[in-house]
PDB file of all heavy atoms in Angstrom:
ATOM      1  N   ARG A 208      33.392  31.337 -32.452  1.00 70.00           N
ATOM      2  CA  ARG A 208      34.773  31.315 -31.988  1.00 70.00           C
ATOM      3  C   ARG A 208      35.610  32.350 -32.730  1.00 70.00           C
ATOM      4  O   ARG A 208      36.429  33.056 -32.130  1.00 70.00           O
ATOM      5  CB  ARG A 208      35.341  29.908 -32.194  1.00 70.00           C
ATOM      6  CG  ARG A 208      36.804  29.764 -31.862  1.00 70.00           C
ATOM      7  CD  ARG A 208      37.045  29.999 -30.406  1.00 70.00           C
ATOM      8  NE  ARG A 208      38.435  29.767 -30.061  1.00 70.00           N
ATOM      9  CZ  ARG A 208      39.046  30.334 -29.052  1.00 70.00           C
ATOM     10  NH1 ARG A 208      38.397  31.176 -28.275  1.00 70.00           N
ATOM     11  NH2 ARG A 208      40.299  30.072 -28.796  1.00 70.00           N
ATOM     12  N   ARG A 322      52.329  22.354 -11.380  1.00 90.00           N
ATOM     13  CA  ARG A 322      52.193  23.668 -12.006  1.00 90.00           C
ATOM     14  C   ARG A 322      51.403  23.569 -13.302  1.00 90.00           C
ATOM     15  O   ARG A 322      51.611  22.636 -14.095  1.00 90.00           O
ATOM     16  CB  ARG A 322      53.571  24.259 -12.291  1.00 90.00           C
ATOM     17  CG  ARG A 322      54.375  24.582 -11.052  1.00 90.00           C
ATOM     18  CD  ARG A 322      55.700  25.236 -11.404  1.00 90.00           C
ATOM     19  NE  ARG A 322      55.525  26.494 -12.115  1.00 90.00           N
ATOM     20  CZ  ARG A 322      56.533  27.311 -12.453  1.00 90.00           C
ATOM     21  NH1 ARG A 322      57.779  26.969 -12.143  1.00 90.00           N
ATOM     22  NH2 ARG A 322      56.300  28.434 -13.090  1.00 90.00           N
ATOM     23  N   PRO A 323      50.500  24.511 -13.547  1.00 90.00           N
ATOM     24  CA  PRO A 323      49.827  24.567 -14.849  1.00 90.00           C
ATOM     25  C   PRO A 323      50.774  25.123 -15.907  1.00 90.00           C
ATOM     26  O   PRO A 323      51.962  25.360 -15.646  1.00 90.00           O
ATOM     27  CB  PRO A 323      48.647  25.501 -14.582  1.00 90.00           C
ATOM     28  CG  PRO A 323      49.119  26.394 -13.484  1.00 90.00           C
ATOM     29  CD  PRO A 323      50.033  25.553 -12.633  1.00 90.00           C
ATOM     30  N   SER A 324      50.240  25.384 -17.090  1.00 89.00           N
ATOM     31  CA  SER A 324      51.061  25.939 -18.155  1.00 89.00           C
ATOM     32  C   SER A 324      51.467  27.377 -17.802  1.00 89.00           C
ATOM     33  O   SER A 324      50.789  28.056 -17.021  1.00 89.00           O
ATOM     34  CB  SER A 324      50.292  25.931 -19.480  1.00 89.00           C
ATOM     35  OG  SER A 324      49.188  26.821 -19.417  1.00 89.00           O
ATOM     36  N   PRO A 325      52.591  27.862 -18.341  1.00 87.00           N
ATOM     37  CA  PRO A 325      53.010  29.237 -18.042  1.00 87.00           C
ATOM     38  C   PRO A 325      51.955  30.277 -18.397  1.00 87.00           C
ATOM     39  O   PRO A 325      51.803  31.275 -17.686  1.00 87.00           O
ATOM     40  CB  PRO A 325      54.279  29.406 -18.893  1.00 87.00           C
ATOM     41  CG  PRO A 325      54.797  28.021 -19.077  1.00 87.00           C
ATOM     42  CD  PRO A 325      53.588  27.143 -19.155  1.00 87.00           C
ATOM     43  N   ARG A 326      51.234  30.057 -19.494  1.00 87.00           N
ATOM     44  CA  ARG A 326      50.203  31.028 -19.874  1.00 87.00           C
ATOM     45  C   ARG A 326      49.070  31.038 -18.857  1.00 87.00           C
ATOM     46  O   ARG A 326      48.567  32.107 -18.488  1.00 87.00           O
ATOM     47  CB  ARG A 326      49.663  30.692 -21.264  1.00 87.00           C
ATOM     48  CG  ARG A 326      48.730  31.733 -21.834  1.00 87.00           C
ATOM     49  CD  ARG A 326      48.265  31.367 -23.227  1.00 87.00           C
ATOM     50  NE  ARG A 326      49.389  31.202 -24.131  1.00 87.00           N
ATOM     51  CZ  ARG A 326      49.272  30.798 -25.379  1.00 87.00           C
ATOM     52  NH1 ARG A 326      48.088  30.493 -25.871  1.00 87.00           N
ATOM     53  NH2 ARG A 326      50.332  30.677 -26.146  1.00 87.00           N
ATOM     54  N   ALA A 327      48.654  29.866 -18.381  1.00 88.00           N
ATOM     55  CA  ALA A 327      47.602  29.812 -17.368  1.00 88.00           C
ATOM     56  C   ALA A 327      48.071  30.481 -16.075  1.00 88.00           C
ATOM     57  O   ALA A 327      47.297  31.205 -15.423  1.00 88.00           O
ATOM     58  CB  ALA A 327      47.199  28.362 -17.103  1.00 88.00           C
ATOM     59  N   GLU A 328      49.327  30.264 -15.695  1.00 89.00           N
ATOM     60  CA  GLU A 328      49.860  30.924 -14.504  1.00 89.00           C
ATOM     61  C   GLU A 328      49.869  32.440 -14.666  1.00 89.00           C
ATOM     62  O   GLU A 328      49.527  33.183 -13.728  1.00 89.00           O
ATOM     63  CB  GLU A 328      51.284  30.433 -14.227  1.00 89.00           C
ATOM     64  CG  GLU A 328      51.369  29.047 -13.624  1.00 89.00           C
ATOM     65  CD  GLU A 328      52.788  28.697 -13.225  1.00 89.00           C
ATOM     66  OE1 GLU A 328      53.729  29.191 -13.875  1.00 89.00           O
ATOM     67  OE2 GLU A 328      52.948  27.926 -12.262  1.00 89.00           O
ATOM     68  N   ALA A 329      50.239  32.918 -15.844  1.00 87.00           N
ATOM     69  CA  ALA A 329      50.292  34.363 -16.066  1.00 87.00           C
ATOM     70  C   ALA A 329      48.906  34.986 -15.971  1.00 87.00           C
ATOM     71  O   ALA A 329      48.736  36.058 -15.378  1.00 87.00           O
ATOM     72  CB  ALA A 329      50.919  34.653 -17.432  1.00 87.00           C
ATOM     73  N   VAL A 330      47.901  34.324 -16.571  1.00 87.00           N
ATOM     74  CA  VAL A 330      46.541  34.861 -16.508  1.00 87.00           C
ATOM     75  C   VAL A 330      46.034  34.858 -15.069  1.00 87.00           C
ATOM     76  O   VAL A 330      45.429  35.837 -14.602  1.00 87.00           O
ATOM     77  CB  VAL A 330      45.611  34.054 -17.433  1.00 87.00           C
ATOM     78  CG1 VAL A 330      44.171  34.494 -17.252  1.00 87.00           C
ATOM     79  CG2 VAL A 330      46.025  34.222 -18.887  1.00 87.00           C
ATOM     80  N   ALA A 331      46.275  33.766 -14.343  1.00 90.00           N
ATOM     81  CA  ALA A 331      45.836  33.705 -12.950  1.00 90.00           C
ATOM     82  C   ALA A 331      46.525  34.781 -12.111  1.00 90.00           C
ATOM     83  O   ALA A 331      45.886  35.430 -11.265  1.00 90.00           O
ATOM     84  CB  ALA A 331      46.112  32.321 -12.379  1.00 90.00           C
ATOM     85  N   PHE A 356      42.877  26.532  -7.145  1.00 93.00           N
ATOM     86  CA  PHE A 356      42.872  25.080  -7.083  1.00 93.00           C
ATOM     87  C   PHE A 356      42.614  24.519  -8.478  1.00 93.00           C
ATOM     88  O   PHE A 356      42.227  25.253  -9.401  1.00 93.00           O
ATOM     89  CB  PHE A 356      41.815  24.564  -6.094  1.00 93.00           C
ATOM     90  CG  PHE A 356      40.406  24.980  -6.435  1.00 93.00           C
ATOM     91  CD1 PHE A 356      39.542  24.121  -7.098  1.00 93.00           C
ATOM     92  CD2 PHE A 356      39.943  26.244  -6.093  1.00 93.00           C
ATOM     93  CE1 PHE A 356      38.248  24.509  -7.415  1.00 93.00           C
ATOM     94  CE2 PHE A 356      38.642  26.635  -6.402  1.00 93.00           C
ATOM     95  CZ  PHE A 356      37.799  25.765  -7.062  1.00 93.00           C
ATOM     96  N   ARG A 357      42.832  23.216  -8.597  1.00 91.00           N
ATOM     97  CA  ARG A 357      42.602  22.534  -9.876  1.00 91.00           C
ATOM     98  C   ARG A 357      41.294  21.774  -9.810  1.00 91.00           C
ATOM     99  O   ARG A 357      40.987  21.114  -8.822  1.00 91.00           O
ATOM    100  CB  ARG A 357      43.740  21.568 -10.184  1.00 91.00           C
ATOM    101  CG  ARG A 357      43.556  20.832 -11.511  1.00 91.00           C
ATOM    102  CD  ARG A 357      44.778  20.017 -11.888  1.00 91.00           C
ATOM    103  NE  ARG A 357      44.626  19.396 -13.201  1.00 91.00           N
ATOM    104  CZ  ARG A 357      45.577  18.731 -13.834  1.00 91.00           C
ATOM    105  NH1 ARG A 357      46.785  18.610 -13.282  1.00 91.00           N
ATOM    106  NH2 ARG A 357      45.358  18.210 -15.033  1.00 91.00           N
ATOM    107  N   GLU A 358      40.529  21.883 -10.899  1.00 88.00           N
ATOM    108  CA  GLU A 358      39.258  21.167 -11.025  1.00 88.00           C
ATOM    109  C   GLU A 358      39.244  20.490 -12.389  1.00 88.00           C
ATOM    110  O   GLU A 358      39.030  21.145 -13.410  1.00 88.00           O
ATOM    111  CB  GLU A 358      38.081  22.133 -10.878  1.00 88.00           C
ATOM    112  CG  GLU A 358      36.717  21.466 -10.845  1.00 88.00           C
ATOM    113  CD  GLU A 358      35.599  22.467 -10.647  1.00 88.00           C
ATOM    114  OE1 GLU A 358      35.151  23.063 -11.645  1.00 88.00           O
ATOM    115  OE2 GLU A 358      35.198  22.670  -9.500  1.00 88.00           O
ATOM    116  N   ASP A 359      39.477  19.194 -12.404  1.00 85.00           N
ATOM    117  CA  ASP A 359      39.620  18.438 -13.653  1.00 85.00           C
ATOM    118  C   ASP A 359      40.768  19.030 -14.469  1.00 85.00           C
ATOM    119  O   ASP A 359      41.894  19.073 -14.009  1.00 85.00           O
ATOM    120  CB  ASP A 359      38.303  18.423 -14.433  1.00 85.00           C
ATOM    121  CG  ASP A 359      37.193  17.724 -13.650  1.00 85.00           C
ATOM    122  OD1 ASP A 359      37.517  16.796 -12.882  1.00 85.00           O
ATOM    123  OD2 ASP A 359      36.018  18.110 -13.793  1.00 85.00           O
ATOM    124  N   ASP A 360      40.485  19.496 -15.680  1.00 88.00           N
ATOM    125  CA  ASP A 360      41.517  20.087 -16.525  1.00 88.00           C
ATOM    126  C   ASP A 360      41.439  21.604 -16.532  1.00 88.00           C
ATOM    127  O   ASP A 360      41.809  22.255 -17.522  1.00 88.00           O
ATOM    128  CB  ASP A 360      41.376  19.571 -17.965  1.00 88.00           C
ATOM    129  CG  ASP A 360      41.783  18.109 -18.087  1.00 88.00           C
ATOM    130  OD1 ASP A 360      42.622  17.678 -17.273  1.00 88.00           O
ATOM    131  OD2 ASP A 360      41.261  17.413 -18.969  1.00 88.00           O
ATOM    132  N   LEU A 361      40.971  22.174 -15.429  1.00 90.00           N
ATOM    133  CA  LEU A 361      40.813  23.620 -15.320  1.00 90.00           C
ATOM    134  C   LEU A 361      41.561  24.139 -14.109  1.00 90.00           C
ATOM    135  O   LEU A 361      41.635  23.481 -13.074  1.00 90.00           O
ATOM    136  CB  LEU A 361      39.332  24.004 -15.209  1.00 90.00           C
ATOM    137  CG  LEU A 361      38.422  23.650 -16.384  1.00 90.00           C
ATOM    138  CD1 LEU A 361      36.980  23.974 -16.033  1.00 90.00           C
ATOM    139  CD2 LEU A 361      38.840  24.409 -17.643  1.00 90.00           C
ATOM    140  N   LEU A 362      42.100  25.325 -14.249  1.00 92.00           N
ATOM    141  CA  LEU A 362      42.666  26.062 -13.123  1.00 92.00           C
ATOM    142  C   LEU A 362      41.611  27.054 -12.653  1.00 92.00           C
ATOM    143  O   LEU A 362      41.189  27.926 -13.419  1.00 92.00           O
ATOM    144  CB  LEU A 362      43.943  26.792 -13.552  1.00 92.00           C
ATOM    145  CG  LEU A 362      44.596  27.684 -12.485  1.00 92.00           C
ATOM    146  CD1 LEU A 362      45.084  26.847 -11.309  1.00 92.00           C
ATOM    147  CD2 LEU A 362      45.747  28.491 -13.096  1.00 92.00           C
ATOM    148  N   ARG A 363      41.164  26.901 -11.419  1.00 93.00           N
ATOM    149  CA  ARG A 363      40.107  27.752 -10.864  1.00 93.00           C
ATOM    150  C   ARG A 363      40.715  28.791  -9.932  1.00 93.00           C
ATOM    151  O   ARG A 363      41.550  28.484  -9.082  1.00 93.00           O
ATOM    152  CB  ARG A 363      39.093  26.913 -10.094  1.00 93.00           C
ATOM    153  CG  ARG A 363      38.244  26.000 -10.949  1.00 93.00           C
ATOM    154  CD  ARG A 363      37.146  26.773 -11.685  1.00 93.00           C
ATOM    155  NE  ARG A 363      36.274  27.476 -10.769  1.00 93.00           N
ATOM    156  CZ  ARG A 363      35.200  26.924 -10.188  1.00 93.00           C
ATOM    157  NH1 ARG A 363      34.915  25.658 -10.417  1.00 93.00           N
ATOM    158  NH2 ARG A 363      34.436  27.640  -9.389  1.00 93.00           N
ATOM    159  N   ARG A 388      41.511  38.952 -20.571  1.00 79.00           N
ATOM    160  CA  ARG A 388      42.613  38.009 -20.338  1.00 79.00           C
ATOM    161  C   ARG A 388      42.096  36.575 -20.275  1.00 79.00           C
ATOM    162  O   ARG A 388      42.727  35.664 -20.801  1.00 79.00           O
ATOM    163  CB  ARG A 388      43.305  38.363 -19.026  1.00 79.00           C
ATOM    164  CG  ARG A 388      44.161  39.615 -19.068  1.00 79.00           C
ATOM    165  CD  ARG A 388      45.466  39.381 -19.765  1.00 79.00           C
ATOM    166  NE  ARG A 388      46.337  40.546 -19.703  1.00 79.00           N
ATOM    167  CZ  ARG A 388      47.540  40.543 -19.170  1.00 79.00           C
ATOM    168  NH1 ARG A 388      48.015  39.449 -18.630  1.00 79.00           N
ATOM    169  NH2 ARG A 388      48.285  41.625 -19.174  1.00 79.00           N
ATOM    170  N   ALA A 389      40.975  36.384 -19.592  1.00 83.00           N
ATOM    171  CA  ALA A 389      40.429  35.035 -19.494  1.00 83.00           C
ATOM    172  C   ALA A 389      39.957  34.518 -20.852  1.00 83.00           C
ATOM    173  O   ALA A 389      40.218  33.375 -21.224  1.00 83.00           O
ATOM    174  CB  ALA A 389      39.283  35.011 -18.483  1.00 83.00           C
ATOM    175  N   ARG A 390      39.258  35.366 -21.601  1.00 79.00           N
ATOM    176  CA  ARG A 390      38.756  34.933 -22.911  1.00 79.00           C
ATOM    177  C   ARG A 390      39.879  34.656 -23.889  1.00 79.00           C
ATOM    178  O   ARG A 390      39.741  33.818 -24.786  1.00 79.00           O
ATOM    179  CB  ARG A 390      37.831  36.007 -23.487  1.00 79.00           C
ATOM    180  CG  ARG A 390      36.478  36.086 -22.818  1.00 79.00           C
ATOM    181  CD  ARG A 390      35.617  37.147 -23.452  1.00 79.00           C
ATOM    182  NE  ARG A 390      35.435  36.916 -24.878  1.00 79.00           N
ATOM    183  CZ  ARG A 390      34.830  37.781 -25.692  1.00 79.00           C
ATOM    184  NH1 ARG A 390      34.379  38.927 -25.212  1.00 79.00           N
ATOM    185  NH2 ARG A 390      34.682  37.506 -26.961  1.00 79.00           N
ATOM    186  N   ALA A 391      41.001  35.338 -23.741  1.00 77.00           N
ATOM    187  CA  ALA A 391      42.106  35.156 -24.688  1.00 77.00           C
ATOM    188  C   ALA A 391      42.682  33.748 -24.637  1.00 77.00           C
ATOM    189  O   ALA A 391      43.298  33.302 -25.615  1.00 77.00           O
ATOM    190  CB  ALA A 391      43.203  36.181 -24.405  1.00 77.00           C
ATOM    191  N   VAL A 392      42.499  33.036 -23.528  1.00 81.00           N
ATOM    192  CA  VAL A 392      43.022  31.663 -23.412  1.00 81.00           C
ATOM    193  C   VAL A 392      41.879  30.653 -23.281  1.00 81.00           C
ATOM    194  O   VAL A 392      42.047  29.586 -22.693  1.00 81.00           O
ATOM    195  CB  VAL A 392      43.976  31.551 -22.207  1.00 81.00           C
ATOM    196  CG1 VAL A 392      45.228  32.365 -22.443  1.00 81.00           C
ATOM    197  CG2 VAL A 392      43.296  31.971 -20.911  1.00 81.00           C
ATOM    198  N   ASP A 393      40.703  31.007 -23.805  1.00 80.00           N
ATOM    199  CA  ASP A 393      39.520  30.141 -23.735  1.00 80.00           C
ATOM    200  C   ASP A 393      39.042  29.941 -22.303  1.00 80.00           C
ATOM    201  O   ASP A 393      38.435  28.915 -21.966  1.00 80.00           O
ATOM    202  CB  ASP A 393      39.781  28.767 -24.372  1.00 80.00           C
ATOM    203  CG  ASP A 393      39.900  28.855 -25.884  1.00 80.00           C
ATOM    204  OD1 ASP A 393      39.367  29.835 -26.445  1.00 80.00           O
ATOM    205  OD2 ASP A 393      40.511  27.973 -26.483  1.00 80.00           O
ATOM    206  N   GLY A 394      39.311  30.907 -21.440  1.00 85.00           N
ATOM    207  CA  GLY A 394      38.819  30.851 -20.069  1.00 85.00           C
ATOM    208  C   GLY A 394      37.460  31.493 -19.943  1.00 85.00           C
ATOM    209  O   GLY A 394      36.890  32.026 -20.906  1.00 85.00           O
ATOM    210  N   HIS A 395      36.943  31.460 -18.727  1.00 86.00           N
ATOM    211  CA  HIS A 395      35.609  31.997 -18.466  1.00 86.00           C
ATOM    212  C   HIS A 395      35.638  32.718 -17.131  1.00 86.00           C
ATOM    213  O   HIS A 395      36.232  32.232 -16.158  1.00 86.00           O
ATOM    214  CB  HIS A 395      34.578  30.866 -18.440  1.00 86.00           C
ATOM    215  CG  HIS A 395      33.171  31.341 -18.271  1.00 86.00           C
ATOM    216  ND1 HIS A 395      32.530  32.151 -19.190  1.00 86.00           N
ATOM    217  CD2 HIS A 395      32.279  31.134 -17.281  1.00 86.00           C
ATOM    218  CE1 HIS A 395      31.310  32.403 -18.775  1.00 86.00           C
ATOM    219  NE2 HIS A 395      31.133  31.808 -17.607  1.00 86.00           N
ATOM    220  N   VAL A 410      37.148  32.617 -11.874  1.00 92.00           N
ATOM    221  CA  VAL A 410      37.763  32.470 -13.191  1.00 92.00           C
ATOM    222  C   VAL A 410      38.162  31.013 -13.388  1.00 92.00           C
ATOM    223  O   VAL A 410      38.754  30.392 -12.494  1.00 92.00           O
ATOM    224  CB  VAL A 410      39.003  33.375 -13.336  1.00 92.00           C
ATOM    225  CG1 VAL A 410      39.601  33.245 -14.727  1.00 92.00           C
ATOM    226  CG2 VAL A 410      38.639  34.820 -13.060  1.00 92.00           C
ATOM    227  N   THR A 411      37.824  30.463 -14.535  1.00 92.00           N
ATOM    228  CA  THR A 411      38.263  29.124 -14.926  1.00 92.00           C
ATOM    229  C   THR A 411      39.163  29.257 -16.142  1.00 92.00           C
ATOM    230  O   THR A 411      38.797  29.917 -17.119  1.00 92.00           O
ATOM    231  CB  THR A 411      37.077  28.213 -15.242  1.00 92.00           C
ATOM    232  OG1 THR A 411      36.277  28.806 -16.271  1.00 92.00           O
ATOM    233  CG2 THR A 411      36.204  28.008 -14.010  1.00 92.00           C
ATOM    234  N   ILE A 412      40.343  28.640 -16.075  1.00 91.00           N
ATOM    235  CA  ILE A 412      41.347  28.727 -17.128  1.00 91.00           C
ATOM    236  C   ILE A 412      41.756  27.311 -17.512  1.00 91.00           C
ATOM    237  O   ILE A 412      41.980  26.478 -16.616  1.00 91.00           O
ATOM    238  CB  ILE A 412      42.579  29.503 -16.641  1.00 91.00           C
ATOM    239  CG1 ILE A 412      42.169  30.868 -16.079  1.00 91.00           C
ATOM    240  CG2 ILE A 412      43.596  29.676 -17.756  1.00 91.00           C
ATOM    241  CD1 ILE A 412      43.259  31.551 -15.286  1.00 91.00           C
ATOM    242  N   PRO A 413      41.829  26.993 -18.789  1.00 90.00           N
ATOM    243  CA  PRO A 413      42.323  25.653 -19.165  1.00 90.00           C
ATOM    244  C   PRO A 413      43.703  25.392 -18.570  1.00 90.00           C
ATOM    245  O   PRO A 413      44.581  26.266 -18.599  1.00 90.00           O
ATOM    246  CB  PRO A 413      42.367  25.721 -20.694  1.00 90.00           C
ATOM    247  CG  PRO A 413      41.373  26.769 -21.059  1.00 90.00           C
ATOM    248  CD  PRO A 413      41.408  27.777 -19.960  1.00 90.00           C
ATOM    249  N   TRP A 414      43.878  24.206 -18.006  1.00 89.00           N
ATOM    250  CA  TRP A 414      45.130  23.879 -17.320  1.00 89.00           C
ATOM    251  C   TRP A 414      46.312  23.960 -18.257  1.00 89.00           C
ATOM    252  O   TRP A 414      47.404  24.377 -17.861  1.00 89.00           O
ATOM    253  CB  TRP A 414      45.007  22.473 -16.716  1.00 89.00           C
ATOM    254  CG  TRP A 414      46.156  22.084 -15.858  1.00 89.00           C
ATOM    255  CD1 TRP A 414      47.217  21.294 -16.194  1.00 89.00           C
ATOM    256  CD2 TRP A 414      46.382  22.450 -14.495  1.00 89.00           C
ATOM    257  NE1 TRP A 414      48.080  21.161 -15.134  1.00 89.00           N
ATOM    258  CE2 TRP A 414      47.581  21.852 -14.064  1.00 89.00           C
ATOM    259  CE3 TRP A 414      45.658  23.234 -13.585  1.00 89.00           C
ATOM    260  CZ2 TRP A 414      48.075  22.012 -12.778  1.00 89.00           C
ATOM    261  CZ3 TRP A 414      46.153  23.396 -12.295  1.00 89.00           C
ATOM    262  CH2 TRP A 414      47.360  22.792 -11.908  1.00 89.00           C
ATOM    263  N   ARG A 415      46.122  23.569 -19.506  1.00 85.00           N
ATOM    264  CA  ARG A 415      47.199  23.612 -20.493  1.00 85.00           C
ATOM    265  C   ARG A 415      46.946  24.718 -21.523  1.00 85.00           C
ATOM    266  O   ARG A 415      47.096  24.513 -22.721  1.00 85.00           O
ATOM    267  CB  ARG A 415      47.344  22.269 -21.201  1.00 85.00           C
ATOM    268  CG  ARG A 415      47.742  21.139 -20.279  1.00 85.00           C
ATOM    269  CD  ARG A 415      49.088  21.392 -19.639  1.00 85.00           C
ATOM    270  NE  ARG A 415      49.456  20.347 -18.681  1.00 85.00           N
ATOM    271  CZ  ARG A 415      50.497  20.450 -17.876  1.00 85.00           C
ATOM    272  NH1 ARG A 415      51.273  21.522 -17.901  1.00 85.00           N
ATOM    273  NH2 ARG A 415      50.772  19.475 -17.025  1.00 85.00           N
ATOM    274  N   ALA A 416      46.544  25.874 -21.056  1.00 73.00           N
ATOM    275  CA  ALA A 416      46.218  27.000 -21.967  1.00 73.00           C
ATOM    276  C   ALA A 416      47.449  27.409 -22.771  1.00 73.00           C
ATOM    277  O   ALA A 416      48.579  27.334 -22.290  1.00 73.00           O
ATOM    278  CB  ALA A 416      45.717  28.179 -21.144  1.00 73.00           C
TER     279      ALA A 416
END
Side-chain angles (χ1 to χ4, degrees):
R208 175 65 176 154
R322 294 183 61 175
S324 66
R326 188 178 302 175
E328 284 187 330
V330 173
F356 60 99
R357 180 172 184 174
E358 186 178 84
D359 298 329
D360 289 332
L361 298 174
L362 176 64
R363 291 284 302 274
R388 287 284 185 121
R390 286 181 58 187
V392 293
D393 289 337
H395 184 63
V410 182
T411 57
I412 306 166
W414 187 260
R415 297 298 177 189

